[in-house]
Amino acid sequence: MTHTLVGDAQIILGLSYNYHDSAAVLVVEDDIVAAAQEERFTRRKFDNRFPVNAIKYCIEEGKVRQEDVHLIAFYEEPHLKLERVLETQTSFAPLNFIRNTKRIKNWIDNKYSVEDDIEYFLPRFDGKILFFPHHLSHAASAFYPSPFKEAAILTVDGVGEWGCSAISTGKENEIEMIREQRFPHSIGLLYSTFTQYIGFKVDSGEYKLMGLAPYGNAVYVNKIKDNLVQINNDGSIKLNIEYFDFMTGNQMLNERFCKLFGGKQRNSESPITQKEMDIACSIQSVTEEILLKMVKYAVEITGIKSLCMAGGVALNCVANGKILRSGFIEKIWVQPAAGDAGGALGAALLAAYKVNGIHRKTNGIIDKQKGSLLGPSFSNDKIKKLLEAYGFVYEEIPNEIWADRIALLLSEGKVVALFQGRMEYGPRALGCRSILGDPRVSDMQSKMNLKIKFRESFRPFAPVVLKEKVGDWFAMDVESPYMLLVSEIIADKKKNLSVNEQNFTGIDKLKVVRSEIPAVTHIDYSARIQTVDKNVNQKMYAILSAFEKLTGCPVLINTSFNIRGEPIVCTPFDALKCFMNTNIDAFVLENYILYKENQTDVLKDKNFAKGFEPD
Amino acid sequence: MEEIVKIRRLMNLHNKYGIMGILVIVFLKGLSNLLLSNFFRNNYGWQLPYAKSGCRIICIGSGKNNVNQRKKKYNTKVAEDIYPLV
């Protein structure tokens, strides 16, 4: 391996692991060279183990060696976390403390000693290890890559060391945390409790709860506010811990919680009823109310109207859209890897700007996240060798007709998987590991949900649109490059509903064609929008332009290249396995195209879908 | 930037006596919370940050820890092992 870095450029490795979504990030000076989540390599969703594969990729991408790394920055402070774990248990002493002694011992043995892990997995590393507070790492991941010179920063998640949400200010190199709310009064944990009650997996199925919300009515809002959470005008909250079990138990909720909502939690495989939809709608409504109050308070105490957000709750793009439209702020930038994976980036950038003192420059327009395309890429040569080794039937597409060929297939109603360029960092596929479809086809949503993703039919799909055309289709006039803002379809593109259609309830609402692009129009006319900039993702931009030329529509369906419960594909091999075991019609890997009808049974596995635990 | 390497050296948590010390201190703190008032019921609202906006720094090159002493069970591979990137 050649060491191409010159002089004494500071090489920083950011790490997050131990809880959920392990990740590694390589920063040279203040340039984000590489970033990836461990789950993509191990094929285990939200893998929380030491990110050994992600580190290996990062140091290879940066053309450096373990021993070249000057600093390792960890995204939280295990001392403080240990204090919280112990103090929580002792507060429920003596019974729970005795019951949980083994768990505390395991915690200390397995999660406390980060420096031991680093020494074991990176034996040639000989630099310093830096530990930053959890919410400071989130705040840094939101502010430093943003285009803003100064910003109010709101970080909201389940829990870090003690903090569950925090307000900070960012100005040039400096980030200062000014307020925080502490465990257990956490909006993230509240939302996760309802995720469990609805029958989805905690720390995984929260976005499904958000997608389910529009099917219901907010009839439980008062019950939630009267019994579970007190909401103050400044957005601070107080949970009634009598209804929760996450303090000392193995789950989020207890029997009292179930009794409040009239029965046990839903089994994950049983049908979703109107009750679950109403509960989802109610908790989403409460969450939005809390977040809007938090934002208002953050702007009041900082006096700054540019807002940066991170933390798992910042992935609630419905709430983000409402924050943008609230009038409290002028601009918003949300870290695309808003969950704990993004903490690795924040910690690395804190090391760069606060410890190494690199001067932060921004032009106020372009962010430093590079489209979040920070993962591995693969050359045509490597792909060709793999295709030949497995005997796939493929065709090469020259660059001149590459986008036109894909657009033509899409316009014919074909579902096309796309694998090009660097893998995305964060939970969203942004056009490099994506499955694309025609949003004008009314049954495309159910087809893609049931036959390709093998997931619930209610799940909405997101539109990807040319940046310049977003205002022609959606009620939004800002960029949303990371699919983190939700907005409505504009009135011109909506369709009038018959009286009968207006009376549909529950899942039946899916049958209604609501707009010119029904496959990406949720039942409340909303859409989780991704805008594409020519300078950030040229190939995706070319496909959208070619599709518009053919059809007059600059919008496509963009969903992640995976099935239910599977991490987004990382390598061509992962992608080929997914392609061969789903009903995707065509698969484009860089300059090669494969048609399903031409393939043999190579890599087919009837147990493929069973290999991934549903979320 | 706050550097608190010394704290770690004073309270070497890899030393079993250090861990016992911390456990006793936190147990007593928790017990006092329990006796005086319920800590978690009253620990709400916006507050000044618990952790300062600084960082703790450890120099791994000096005073290396003994991994075996921790009896830690590693279930992933070391960085040299490969996940095939093809």
Side-chain angles (χ1 to χ4, degrees), chain A residues 474-500:
Chain A
F474 304 99
M476 193 171 86
D477 55 1
V478 297
E479 272 191 85
S480 175
Y482 305 115
M483 215 186 262
L484 286 167
L485 297 173
V486 162
S487 181
E488 271 200 15
I489 308 276
I490 61 167
D492 280 3
K493 306 292 181 190
K494 287 180 184 172
K495 295 212 163 162
N496 294 325
L497 306 189
S498 68
V499 176
N500 187 32

Short mmCIF file of all heavy atoms in Angstrom, two decimals, chain A residues 474-500:
data_model
loop_
_atom_site.label_atom_id
_atom_site.label_comp_id
_atom_site.label_asym_id
_atom_site.label_seq_id
_atom_site.Cartn_x
_atom_site.Cartn_y
_atom_site.Cartn_z
N PHE A 474 -43.63 19.56 -6.15
CA PHE A 474 -43.82 19.50 -4.70
C PHE A 474 -43.88 20.91 -4.11
O PHE A 474 -43.24 21.83 -4.65
CB PHE A 474 -42.69 18.71 -4.04
CG PHE A 474 -42.55 17.32 -4.60
CD1 PHE A 474 -41.58 17.05 -5.56
CD2 PHE A 474 -43.40 16.31 -4.20
CE1 PHE A 474 -41.46 15.78 -6.11
CE2 PHE A 474 -43.27 15.03 -4.74
CZ PHE A 474 -42.31 14.76 -5.70
N ALA A 475 -44.60 21.05 -2.99
CA ALA A 475 -44.74 22.36 -2.35
C ALA A 475 -43.51 22.65 -1.50
O ALA A 475 -43.57 22.80 -0.28
CB ALA A 475 -46.00 22.36 -1.49
N MET A 476 -42.39 22.72 -2.17
CA MET A 476 -41.12 22.93 -1.46
C MET A 476 -40.16 23.65 -2.41
O MET A 476 -40.09 23.29 -3.59
CB MET A 476 -40.55 21.56 -1.06
CG MET A 476 -39.43 21.64 -0.06
SD MET A 476 -38.98 20.00 0.55
CE MET A 476 -37.84 19.50 -0.69
N ASP A 477 -39.45 24.63 -1.89
CA ASP A 477 -38.55 25.35 -2.78
C ASP A 477 -37.11 25.33 -2.28
O ASP A 477 -36.30 26.17 -2.61
CB ASP A 477 -39.02 26.80 -2.97
CG ASP A 477 -39.16 27.51 -1.64
OD1 ASP A 477 -38.89 26.88 -0.60
OD2 ASP A 477 -39.55 28.69 -1.64
N VAL A 478 -36.82 24.34 -1.43
CA VAL A 478 -35.44 24.20 -0.96
C VAL A 478 -34.91 22.83 -1.38
O VAL A 478 -35.68 21.94 -1.75
CB VAL A 478 -35.33 24.33 0.58
CG1 VAL A 478 -35.75 25.71 1.02
CG2 VAL A 478 -36.18 23.27 1.26
N GLU A 479 -33.60 22.67 -1.30
CA GLU A 479 -32.99 21.38 -1.61
C GLU A 479 -33.27 20.37 -0.50
O GLU A 479 -33.35 20.74 0.67
CB GLU A 479 -31.48 21.54 -1.70
CG GLU A 479 -30.97 21.94 -3.06
CD GLU A 479 -29.45 21.81 -3.09
OE1 GLU A 479 -28.97 20.71 -3.34
OE2 GLU A 479 -28.79 22.83 -2.82
N SER A 480 -33.38 19.12 -0.89
CA SER A 480 -33.46 18.04 0.11
C SER A 480 -32.59 16.89 -0.40
O SER A 480 -33.09 15.84 -0.81
CB SER A 480 -34.91 17.59 0.29
OG SER A 480 -34.99 16.49 1.15
N PRO A 481 -31.28 17.10 -0.41
CA PRO A 481 -30.41 16.12 -1.07
C PRO A 481 -30.31 14.78 -0.33
O PRO A 481 -29.88 13.79 -0.92
CB PRO A 481 -29.04 16.82 -1.07
CG PRO A 481 -29.11 17.81 0.04
CD PRO A 481 -30.53 18.23 0.14
N TYR A 482 -30.73 14.76 0.95
CA TYR A 482 -30.56 13.54 1.74
C TYR A 482 -31.88 12.88 2.11
O TYR A 482 -31.94 12.08 3.04
CB TYR A 482 -29.73 13.85 2.99
CG TYR A 482 -28.40 14.50 2.62
CD1 TYR A 482 -28.10 15.80 3.01
CD2 TYR A 482 -27.48 13.81 1.85
CE1 TYR A 482 -26.90 16.39 2.65
CE2 TYR A 482 -26.28 14.40 1.48
CZ TYR A 482 -26.00 15.69 1.88
OH TYR A 482 -24.81 16.27 1.52
N MET A 483 -32.95 13.24 1.41
CA MET A 483 -34.25 12.59 1.62
C MET A 483 -34.71 12.75 3.06
O MET A 483 -35.20 11.80 3.67
CB MET A 483 -34.13 11.11 1.26
CG MET A 483 -35.36 10.50 0.63
SD MET A 483 -35.15 8.75 0.41
CE MET A 483 -34.67 8.64 -1.29
N LEU A 484 -34.53 13.94 3.62
CA LEU A 484 -34.86 14.13 5.03
C LEU A 484 -35.95 15.17 5.27
O LEU A 484 -36.16 15.60 6.40
CB LEU A 484 -33.59 14.52 5.81
CG LEU A 484 -32.61 13.36 6.04
CD1 LEU A 484 -31.28 13.85 6.54
CD2 LEU A 484 -33.19 12.34 7.02
N LEU A 485 -36.61 15.59 4.18
CA LEU A 485 -37.70 16.54 4.32
C LEU A 485 -38.93 16.00 3.61
O LEU A 485 -38.82 15.45 2.51
CB LEU A 485 -37.33 17.90 3.73
CG LEU A 485 -36.16 18.65 4.39
CD1 LEU A 485 -35.80 19.89 3.60
CD2 LEU A 485 -36.51 19.03 5.83
N VAL A 486 -40.09 16.18 4.25
CA VAL A 486 -41.34 15.73 3.64
C VAL A 486 -42.16 16.96 3.25
O VAL A 486 -42.21 17.94 3.99
CB VAL A 486 -42.11 14.84 4.64
CG1 VAL A 486 -43.57 14.72 4.25
CG2 VAL A 486 -41.48 13.46 4.71
N SER A 487 -42.75 16.89 2.07
CA SER A 487 -43.61 17.98 1.63
C SER A 487 -44.75 17.40 0.81
O SER A 487 -44.71 16.25 0.39
CB SER A 487 -42.79 18.96 0.79
OG SER A 487 -43.60 20.03 0.39
N GLU A 488 -45.77 18.24 0.55
CA GLU A 488 -46.92 17.75 -0.24
C GLU A 488 -46.68 17.89 -1.73
O GLU A 488 -45.90 18.73 -2.17
CB GLU A 488 -48.17 18.57 0.13
CG GLU A 488 -48.93 17.99 1.27
CD GLU A 488 -50.38 18.48 1.32
OE1 GLU A 488 -50.89 19.05 0.34
OE2 GLU A 488 -50.99 18.28 2.38
N ILE A 489 -47.40 17.09 -2.50
CA ILE A 489 -47.49 17.26 -3.95
C ILE A 489 -48.24 18.57 -4.20
O ILE A 489 -49.18 18.88 -3.46
CB ILE A 489 -48.31 16.09 -4.57
CG1 ILE A 489 -47.77 14.75 -4.11
CG2 ILE A 489 -48.44 16.21 -6.07
CD1 ILE A 489 -46.63 14.20 -4.85
N ILE A 490 -47.88 19.33 -5.22
CA ILE A 490 -48.60 20.59 -5.45
C ILE A 490 -50.01 20.30 -5.99
O ILE A 490 -50.26 19.24 -6.57
CB ILE A 490 -47.84 21.55 -6.42
CG1 ILE A 490 -47.65 20.90 -7.78
CG2 ILE A 490 -46.53 22.00 -5.82
CD1 ILE A 490 -47.19 21.88 -8.85
N ALA A 491 -50.88 21.29 -5.83
CA ALA A 491 -52.30 21.09 -6.17
C ALA A 491 -52.49 20.68 -7.63
O ALA A 491 -53.35 19.84 -7.94
CB ALA A 491 -53.06 22.37 -5.86
N ASP A 492 -51.70 21.25 -8.53
CA ASP A 492 -51.83 20.95 -9.97
C ASP A 492 -51.65 19.48 -10.29
O ASP A 492 -52.18 18.99 -11.29
CB ASP A 492 -50.76 21.71 -10.77
CG ASP A 492 -51.17 23.15 -10.97
OD1 ASP A 492 -52.23 23.50 -10.44
OD2 ASP A 492 -50.43 23.88 -11.66
N LYS A 493 -50.86 18.81 -9.51
CA LYS A 493 -50.55 17.40 -9.79
C LYS A 493 -51.48 16.43 -9.03
O LYS A 493 -51.38 15.23 -9.22
CB LYS A 493 -49.09 17.09 -9.40
CG LYS A 493 -48.06 18.02 -10.03
CD LYS A 493 -47.96 17.82 -11.53
CE LYS A 493 -46.90 18.75 -12.13
NZ LYS A 493 -46.94 18.76 -13.61
N LYS A 494 -52.30 16.99 -8.15
CA LYS A 494 -53.22 16.14 -7.39
C LYS A 494 -54.41 15.76 -8.25
O LYS A 494 -54.79 16.49 -9.17
CB LYS A 494 -53.72 16.87 -6.14
CG LYS A 494 -52.68 17.01 -5.05
CD LYS A 494 -53.28 17.75 -3.85
CE LYS A 494 -52.24 18.00 -2.77
NZ LYS A 494 -52.74 18.87 -1.69
N LYS A 495 -55.05 14.64 -7.94
CA LYS A 495 -56.25 14.22 -8.64
C LYS A 495 -57.46 14.36 -7.71
O LYS A 495 -57.33 14.16 -6.50
CB LYS A 495 -56.11 12.78 -9.11
CG LYS A 495 -55.02 12.62 -10.14
CD LYS A 495 -55.32 11.54 -11.13
CE LYS A 495 -54.42 11.72 -12.34
NZ LYS A 495 -54.30 10.55 -13.17
N ASN A 496 -58.61 14.71 -8.30
CA ASN A 496 -59.83 14.81 -7.49
C ASN A 496 -60.31 13.41 -7.13
O ASN A 496 -60.31 12.51 -7.96
CB ASN A 496 -60.91 15.54 -8.26
CG ASN A 496 -60.53 16.99 -8.49
OD1 ASN A 496 -59.90 17.61 -7.64
ND2 ASN A 496 -60.89 17.52 -9.65
N LEU A 497 -60.72 13.25 -5.90
CA LEU A 497 -61.20 11.94 -5.45
C LEU A 497 -62.73 11.90 -5.50
O LEU A 497 -63.40 12.91 -5.24
CB LEU A 497 -60.75 11.67 -4.01
CG LEU A 497 -59.25 11.77 -3.70
CD1 LEU A 497 -58.99 11.25 -2.29
CD2 LEU A 497 -58.41 10.99 -4.69
N SER A 498 -63.28 10.74 -5.83
CA SER A 498 -64.73 10.56 -5.79
C SER A 498 -65.16 10.49 -4.33
O SER A 498 -64.33 10.27 -3.43
CB SER A 498 -65.12 9.28 -6.52
OG SER A 498 -64.65 8.18 -5.78
N VAL A 499 -66.46 10.64 -4.09
CA VAL A 499 -66.97 10.58 -2.72
C VAL A 499 -66.65 9.21 -2.11
O VAL A 499 -66.25 9.10 -0.96
CB VAL A 499 -68.50 10.82 -2.71
CG1 VAL A 499 -69.07 10.66 -1.30
CG2 VAL A 499 -68.81 12.20 -3.27
N ASN A 500 -66.79 8.18 -2.94
CA ASN A 500 -66.51 6.83 -2.47
C ASN A 500 -65.05 6.70 -2.04
O ASN A 500 -64.74 6.16 -0.97
CB ASN A 500 -66.82 5.85 -3.62
CG ASN A 500 -66.72 4.41 -3.15
OD1 ASN A 500 -66.99 4.12 -1.99
ND2 ASN A 500 -66.30 3.54 -4.04
#
